Amino acid sequence: MRVSVSGCGRRGVLHAACLAAAGHEVVLHDPDPRALDALRSGLTAAEPRLYRLLALGLVSGRLRPTTDRTAVAGARVHVLCVGAGPSPDPDGASRVGRLRDALDDLAPHLGPGDLVVGRARVPAGTAEWLAACLVADGVRATVVWVPDEHRPGHAVVDLLRPARLVHGVPAGPDGVRAAAILDALHAVQLASGADRTVTDLTTAEALGHGVGTTRDTDRGPDRHGDDVASRTRRGELAAAGAA
């Protein structure tokens, strides 16, 4: 599946690398060329295993960083990884503003039935407001919300082998179609045994706290003191990147 990821910060790079490792064709867009320079030099690969996934994605061609916003055209799913950091205001207005700016950049390149996937924790009603913005612009894309749940230092494993997935979708036929596309997007995670819950947008928004739920087998260090990411089988992520 062709996927675009907006935002070349820590979360954007992490999600783009993991999506590419899961076999998707990923366009990572950021208007700031300095962010892409940092990615290529490995400065953003602070998570265990992330540098390896970045290298696999770039070498295989599945991960394509760019400052060209038109490169996102043709993607079926568009993941918003902006506005996920700390918000300077208590009501999250600046975070929502960054999401709206990213959506405005995407809107001219969205086609009917495309999904716009929000990841950040946002005030209740943000997803529906963003969806209304698209309707007002005459864009027939669907806004969905997938809570960003991963633990610092374990993010690669938590994203590729999560304990659960929560898919927040709108009601009606658009929601049914969106849920099916999200299942395809997360086929690798579902095949690994992740529990999947489909819920409404408001519930999913409230769950986007960025702290992962762990599998029973992934709790704490092993007897050698390695973390979860280090204990991942050596060939597992490489196989995902080469699939």
Side-chain angles (χ1 to χ4, degrees):
M1 184 184 300
R2 183 173 169 82
V3 181
S4 82
V5 176
S6 295
C8 199
R10 174 187 172 276
R11 289 176 188 264
V13 171
L14 178 62
H15 282 285
C18 288
L19 285 165
H24 300 292
E25 179 187 351
V26 183
V27 175
L28 176 59
H29 171 257
D30 196 298
D32 186 353
R34 294 172 299 178
L36 299 187
D37 290 342
L39 180 151
R40 293 189 179 97
S41 65
L43 297 180
T44 52
E47 286 283 339
R49 302 276 182 175
L50 179 53
Y51 185 84
R52 183 180 181 185
L53 288 193
L54 281 173
L56 284 170
L58 293 170
V59 170
S60 69
R62 285 200 179 97
L63 175 58
R64 183 160 66 95
T66 181
T67 57
D68 180 9
R69 71 179 62 180
T70 65
V72 306
R76 191 177 189 187
V77 175
H78 305 265
V79 183
L80 299 179
C81 285
V82 299
S87 179
D89 42 77
D91 61 357
S94 62
R95 179 180 294 130
V96 174
R98 293 195 295 273
L99 286 169
R100 176 60 197 271
D101 289 343
L103 189 64
D104 286 344
D105 285 343
L106 279 176
H109 312 292
L110 296 175
D114 284 358
L115 293 194
V116 176
V117 183
R119 304 286 315 198
R121 186 175 189 175
V122 291
T126 298
E128 292 185 355
W129 176 70
L130 292 174
C133 292
L134 289 179
V135 171
D137 291 338
V139 179
R140 296 173 55 195
T142 301
V143 175
V144 299
W145 223 259
V146 179
D148 198 355
E149 299 184 303
H150 62 260
R151 299 162 294 162
H154 305 266
V156 168
V157 172
D158 284 348
L159 286 175
L160 286 176
R161 299 179 63 239
R164 70 173 184 180
L165 288 167
V166 178
H167 294 166
V169 301
D174 286 346
V176 173
R177 183 176 64 252
I181 296 173
L182 288 173
D183 283 351
L185 182 71
H186 296 133
V188 167
Q189 290 84 347
L190 293 172
S192 78
D195 292 329
R196 191 263 281 153
T197 299
V198 178
T199 187
D200 59 272
L201 292 170
T202 301
T203 300
E205 287 171 336
L207 291 173
H209 50 72
V211 178
T213 53
T214 61
R215 295 170 182 264
D216 290 340
T217 56
D218 286 346
R219 296 182 187 276
D222 67 10
R223 60 190 177 90
H224 298 294
D226 294 331
D227 62 21
V228 174
S230 298
R231 288 192 285 113
T232 304
R233 291 188 296 275
R234 179 175 297 275
E236 189 172 83
L237 297 183

